[in-house]
Amino acid sequence: PKMKEDHCLHAALLCLGVLCCSQALSTERLNHSRPSLHGHHEKGKEGQVLHRSKRGWVWNQFFVIEEYTGPDPVLVGRLHSDIDSGDGNIKYILSGEGAGIIFVIDDKSGNIHATKTLDREERAQYTLTAQAVDRNTNRPLEPPSEFIVKVQDINDNPPEFLHENYHANVPERSNVGTSVIQVTASDADDPTYGNSAKLVYSILEGQPYFSVEAQTGIIRTALPNMDREAKEEYHVVIQAKDMGGHMGGLSGTTKVTITLTDVNDNPPKFPQSVYQMSVSEAAVPGEEVGRVKAKDPDIGENGLVAYSIIDGDGMDMFEITTDYETQEGVVKLKKTLDYETKKSYSLKVEAANVHIDPKFISNGPFKDTVTVKIAVEDADEPPVFLKPSYIFEVQENAASGTVVGKVHAKDPDAANSAIRYSIDRHTDLERYFVINAEDGNIKTIKALDREEMAWHNISVFAVEVHKQHQEAKVPIAIKVVDVNDNAPKFAAAYEAFVCENARSNQQFITISADDKDDSANGPRFIFSLPPEIIHNPNFTLRDNRDNTASVLVRREGFSRQKQDLYLLPIVISDGGLPPLSSTNTLTIRVCGCDSGGSLLSCNAEAYVLNAGLSTGALIAILACIVILLVIVVLFVTLKRQKKEPLIVFEEEDVRENIITYDDEGGGEEDTEAFDIATLQNPDGINGFIPRKDIKPEYQYLPRPGLRPAPSSVDVDDFINTRIQEADNDPTAPPYDSIQIYGYEGRGSVAGSLSSLESATTDSDLDYDYLQNWGPRFKKLADLYGSKDTFDDDS
């Protein structure tokens, strides 16, 4: 209510002032605009009279106040010519901008009035032209003259800010008077006249944190050490008032949101002095143990914290990394722990800001420390072997039960449980070894052969007695040590050839040996002949001392006719301790060679053939044999072709002839389609029926009373006679002869049931015979036999 009363008072005062000013200005301007017939005199400062040249028009600038809302038109001014004697003969004419619409002139007196309310903000001035003419003749009495009507401004427009809302930022902890933002307002009133457009800025909301410069609109901080962590955002209201801020002026406001930006003015701080953590001794390196976090109220890069371990007995066992998403320090395991060795560790962890502002270094230090205590928890660990792997040796052919070696494992837990051992049978499928479950001694079960398998790789389990699920596994490699148990032998199945014309001491083959034993028990090999044939008259042996030996011819003059094959025993000894030897037999064949030593033939039979038959004789003999074989084959073939068939037909039987006709026949009445004589057996007419497929044991004579007359054409009698003869024939069963007759049988007394030859109309058919067919055809007789009756009734 109070604010409303103030606005009403201001409006009343404004209207009163406008009316007073308008009347005073009109009177003053009217007086100044009057023309004179003589020169116009004005006094100077010292009373001197100034003379101006005579003019037809006295020109002045007219003024009219804007926004006038009185009942009568506003008098703008008066035009008067010095030739106007007041008798009404002069007529004043007004033209130009707004003439006749906004501005009107009294053509007799020259008074100019404004007929409409003017707004300076729409148009500030109007240019008009005045002229005096003779009322009767319209002849110009004076040349036309231009003058300007200016719209006088009043304070009718409040100040307006460029933006309704402003947003600004200023760092926290800024000094007093730090510029935040400048707000600017504009006033549509005339800035050159009065104080209508003179603006003064003031702050309505936001004290005591901010202030504003009255003339420039610059907002500045007003309090020192404003803390973002205490309050981050402020809402300030700025007012711009015209009339120089005096009473009666108009005003406008704007809102400014000011945000304090963060600076690194707060160090990180741990919320507690000690962190307690625990980790199992079974944890693997890299596993997370726990997290610590130092709180820093700053944000962004000012709140970034990096963690590090600066002291403690666990520096070598643990490490810490920074999780920048959560700003936490992550403590991780660095090395494997052992509960039985050390049960707890202590760390001193430091948290420090990554970015430090030098302006606030006095607020430091920007770091904090905390103690982290880590307890190691005991874990149920599996047994541990004293070695990661074992290598043992055992001689081949060692007796069963020979000790190979011993493994040992222990329980690392404080309980120190007893251990039992076993062999993984998947690694010892042949079951060569056995282990003592109590002490871990490994023994052989059967003899080993190095030449069969030089290494045995097995695995041994160690299991806690009271905790079967806790077990460990260790690989064991067992080397089978070689023993010289294999004598050397020929490296290949040698077969030597010597020429009949070989020279004395001529080498014809080089042999080598092979030994399955290791190189220590194998080469070098020694070759020799057995003592009993050391002075062999045919061949001799030379050891080349490079694990090979050469066989030489001792004499000349070998003959295949006398002896074509020689067997030479050779003794080979190895270099083992003790050495082993074997006797190997070399087969030597005597062959015929040419003068250059090339083999021609090694068969003794070739001499026998050469002595008896030549090659041409052998070819002739083979040709004769082939010719004889061809003759025998032809004879057998001709013999088979002349062989008689099993069934001898004495005479062609007409029943074997198949006569084909292209018509179906008309029944027994049709005698033109076939000859009845073809159905008569000529032998049967004479009373004798020979059987062509079997030989009867005795002759069967048919009964004379059953013989039909030769000229008989009764087919029924003919067929019945043949059936009785076949049934009474004791010489063969009926299925030995198949009798085929071309007789279809007699026609039915019922005639044909086909409709192919039926009459075209039902009236031509006579169904009375259906009455005599019996009860099965009674329904048909009723359907068709009574047709005439129905027709007669109708």
Side-chain angles (χ1 to χ4, degrees):
K2 183 179 181 181
M3 184 177 296
K4 186 174 182 181
E5 292 177 0
D6 292 341
H7 285 301
C8 294
L9 180 61
H10 289 168
L13 292 174
L14 178 61
C15 293
L16 181 61
V18 168
L19 290 175
C20 294
C21 292
S22 176
Q23 188 65 28
L25 288 173
S26 299
T27 304
E28 180 182 359
R29 288 168 183 165
L30 182 61
N31 294 332
H32 281 287
S33 63
R34 292 176 181 174
S36 175
L37 295 174
H38 306 287
H40 184 76
H41 301 278
E42 292 183 0
K43 291 186 177 181
K45 294 180 181 180
E46 299 179 354
Q48 182 181 0
V49 178
L50 301 178
H51 298 274
R52 291 193 303 176
S53 60
K54 179 181 176 182
R55 296 178 54 185
W57 286 100
V58 177
W59 180 87
N60 256 332
Q61 198 174 39
F62 294 121
F63 294 89
V64 60
I65 193 166
E66 67 170 336
E67 302 294 345
Y68 175 74
T69 58
D72 299 324
V74 178
L75 178 62
V76 178
R78 181 181 181 185
L79 296 177
H80 185 70
S81 175
D82 54 0
I83 63 174
D84 186 4
S85 59
D87 55 3
N89 293 326
I90 296 178
K91 180 181 179 180
Y92 295 98
I93 300 174
L94 185 66
S95 63
E97 297 174 346
I101 300 175
I102 299 176
F103 301 101
V104 294
I105 187 170
D106 188 344
D107 59 352
K108 293 181 179 181
S109 63
N111 291 334
I112 301 173
H113 291 84
T115 61
K116 293 184 178 180
T117 302
L118 302 179
D119 187 358
R120 190 201 67 84
E121 286 70 39
E122 291 184 3
R123 186 161 187 171
Q125 67 181 18
Y126 298 86
T127 302
L128 299 172
T129 302
Q131 189 176 16
V133 299
D134 187 274
R135 183 178 295 275
N136 297 321
T137 64
N138 286 329
R139 181 179 59 84
L141 301 178
E142 298 253 359
S145 179
E146 288 186 354
F147 64 94
I148 296 173
V149 177
K150 286 191 175 183
V151 182
Q152 182 66 44
D153 181 54
I154 65 171
N155 189 19
D156 60 342
N157 291 281
E160 293 182 359
F161 284 92
L162 298 181
H163 303 285
E164 184 178 355
N165 292 287
Y166 289 86
H167 295 273
N169 297 323
V170 64
E172 63 173 333
R173 307 285 183 183
S174 296
N175 296 326
V176 175
T178 300
S179 175
V180 179
I181 190 175
Q182 182 178 15
V183 294
T184 304
S186 60
D187 196 318
D189 294 325
D190 189 0
T192 62
Y193 179 76
N195 294 325
S196 298
K198 185 178 182 180
L199 304 181
V200 175
Y201 298 94
S202 61
I203 183 168
L204 299 182
E205 294 181 15
Q207 304 96 335
Y209 306 104
F210 300 95
S211 63
V212 64
E213 291 184 357
Q215 307 303 325
T216 62
I218 297 175
I219 301 175
R220 300 181 182 275
T221 57
L223 283 181
N225 298 324
M226 283 192 292
D227 191 3
R228 183 200 67 83
E229 288 73 33
K231 185 176 182 180
E232 183 176 6
E233 192 173 83
Y234 295 84
H235 297 282
V236 178
V237 178
I238 302 297
Q239 181 189 65
K241 190 174 183 181
D242 58 12
M243 299 299 292
H246 294 94
M247 183 179 297
L250 303 179
S251 64
T253 60
T254 186
K255 294 181 180 179
V256 182
T257 301
I258 301 176
T259 302
L260 298 182
T261 58
D262 185 63
V263 298
N264 190 11
D265 58 339
N266 295 281
K269 186 71 175 177
F270 284 104
Q272 58 196 69
S273 59
V274 178
Y275 283 88
Q276 298 286 348
M277 300 179 184
S278 61
V279 60
S280 173
E281 64 172 336
V284 297
E287 187 173 333
E288 181 178 328
V289 178
R291 295 187 174 219
V292 297
K293 184 175 183 179
K295 295 184 178 180
D296 191 332
D298 297 323
I299 60 175
E301 66 176 13
N302 297 318
L304 294 179
V305 179
Y307 298 87
S308 60
I309 299 175
I310 59 176
D311 198 5
D313 58 359
M315 292 183 65
D316 295 334
M317 305 301 295
F318 301 92
E319 62 183 356
I320 191 169
T321 59
T322 303
D323 186 347
Y324 287 103
E325 292 186 1
T326 61
Q327 289 297 302
E328 294 176 318
V330 183
V331 180
K332 296 182 179 180
L333 183 63
K334 190 176 181 180
K335 295 181 180 179
T336 305
L337 301 173
D338 187 7
Y339 173 81
E340 288 71 27
T341 303
K342 189 173 178 61
K343 296 179 176 58
S344 64
Y345 293 90
S346 178
L347 302 174
K348 189 175 183 181
V349 176
E350 180 184 78
N353 278 139
V354 177
H355 303 283
I356 298 177
D357 193 340
K359 294 187 295 185
F360 303 99
I361 194 70
S362 59
N363 293 1
F366 288 86
K367 56 186 177 181
D368 193 16
T369 58
V370 71
T371 300
V372 179
K373 293 184 178 181
I374 303 174
V376 181
E377 297 177 347
D378 187 20
D380 189 8
E381 301 174 271
V384 177
F385 283 94
L386 298 184
K387 295 181 180 180
S389 62
Y390 292 86
I391 299 178
F392 299 133
E393 292 184 355
V394 61
Q395 285 191 344
E396 66 173 328
N397 302 328
S400 177
T402 301
V403 176
V404 177
K406 181 179 181 180
V407 297
H408 182 69
K410 66 176 182 178
D411 182 12
D413 298 325
N416 194 17
S417 301
I419 305 297
R420 294 186 64 85
Y421 304 94
S422 62
I423 295 177
D424 183 2
R425 286 305 170 188
H426 293 91
T427 60
D428 186 26
L429 297 176
E430 301 295 331
R431 294 186 176 269
Y432 286 104
F433 307 97
V434 68
I435 190 170
N436 190 306
E438 305 296 334
D439 57 14
N441 276 321
I442 301 174
K443 297 180 181 181
T444 61
I445 300 177
K446 52 186 176 181
L448 306 177
D449 187 359
R450 190 204 69 85
E451 287 71 39
E452 180 180 347
M453 187 180 293
W455 286 87
H456 293 266
N457 296 306
I458 65 173
S459 297
V460 171
F461 290 111
V463 182
E464 294 183 17
V465 174
H466 302 294
K467 297 176 182 178
Q468 298 294 328
H469 64 280
Q470 293 290 3
E471 66 177 13
K473 187 177 182 180
V474 67
I476 300 174
I478 301 174
K479 179 181 179 182
V480 181
V481 180
D482 184 49
V483 174
N484 192 19
D485 56 347
N486 291 278
K489 296 180 180 180
F490 277 158
Y494 294 108
E495 186 173 2
F497 302 91
V498 63
C499 294
E500 288 181 308
N501 56 358
R503 299 185 304 273
S504 178
N505 294 325
Q506 179 182 352
Q507 175 183 337
F508 60 89
I509 190 172
T510 300
I511 61 175
S512 63
D514 189 14
D515 195 330
K516 294 182 180 180
D517 290 324
D518 196 6
S519 58
N521 294 317
R524 95 166 180 84
F525 299 119
I526 301 173
F527 299 87
S528 62
L529 296 176
E532 60 271 14
I533 61 168
I534 192 66
H535 300 293
N536 188 295
N538 300 316
F539 307 99
T540 183
L541 184 69
R542 182 179 65 201
D543 192 341
N544 297 326
R545 298 183 180 278
D546 60 353
N547 295 329
T548 63
S550 300
V551 182
L552 297 85
V553 177
R554 174 167 285 188
R555 66 178 179 86
E556 297 178 356
F558 289 92
S559 175
R560 284 182 288 172
Q561 295 177 345
K562 294 182 181 180
Q563 185 175 352
D564 63 340
L565 185 66
Y566 292 89
L567 300 178
L568 180 65
I570 298 175
V571 178
I572 307 175
S573 300
D574 59 20
L577 293 175
L580 294 180
S581 62
S582 65
T583 302
N584 302 265
T585 301
L586 178 64
T587 302
I588 303 172
R589 291 185 177 276
V590 179
C591 302
C593 304
D594 58 11
S595 60
S598 299
L599 296 178
L600 295 178
S601 176
C602 295
N603 296 325
E605 292 78 3
Y607 285 96
V608 178
L609 293 174
N610 290 336
L613 296 174
S614 62
T615 304
L618 290 174
I619 293 174
I621 293 171
L622 291 175
C624 292
I625 294 172
V626 171
I627 293 172
L628 289 175
L629 290 175
V630 172
I631 292 173
V632 171
V633 171
L634 290 175
F635 178 78
V636 172
T637 303
L638 294 175
K639 188 74 174 176
R640 288 184 177 179
Q641 290 181 353
K642 293 181 179 181
K643 189 175 181 180
E644 293 184 357
L646 295 176
I647 302 176
V648 180
F649 295 95
E650 297 177 356
E651 187 176 348
E652 185 178 0
D653 192 351
V654 295
R655 291 177 298 173
E656 299 299 324
N657 296 330
I658 300 175
I659 300 173
T660 304
Y661 301 95
D662 292 333
D663 58 342
E664 194 174 66
E668 64 271 21
E669 290 82 3
D670 188 3
T671 59
E672 297 178 358
F674 61 93
D675 187 5
I676 193 62
T678 59
L679 296 177
Q680 297 176 353
N681 191 345
D683 295 331
I685 297 175
N686 300 324
F688 175 71
I689 305 175
R691 302 300 297 269
K692 302 297 190 297
D693 51 351
I694 63 172
K695 186 177 181 181
E697 297 179 358
Y698 56 92
Q699 192 68 30
Y700 167 72
L701 297 176
R703 290 178 293 178
L706 298 178
R707 183 179 302 169
S711 61
S712 176
V713 293
D714 192 347
V715 179
D716 284 342
D717 294 341
F718 175 79
I719 291 177
N720 291 330
T721 302
R722 290 293 182 264
I723 292 175
Q724 290 180 5
E725 290 177 356
D727 291 341
N728 297 323
D729 186 1
T731 60
Y735 53 77
D736 286 345
S737 295
I738 300 176
Q739 304 294 336
I740 300 174
Y741 304 98
Y743 175 65
E744 288 188 356
R746 294 173 180 267
S748 174
V749 296
S752 176
L753 294 178
S754 172
S755 62
L756 295 176
E757 298 178 357
S758 300
T760 58
T761 61
D762 294 340
S763 61
D764 296 337
L765 299 177
D766 186 7
Y767 298 101
D768 292 339
Y769 60 88
L770 294 176
Q771 301 289 343
N772 303 323
W773 281 19
R776 294 186 179 180
F777 296 92
K778 185 176 184 304
K779 193 170 185 64
L780 286 174
D782 294 339
L783 291 174
Y784 292 94
S786 59
K787 180 175 180 60
D788 296 336
T789 306
F790 296 152
D791 294 340
D792 296 339
D793 296 340
S794 62

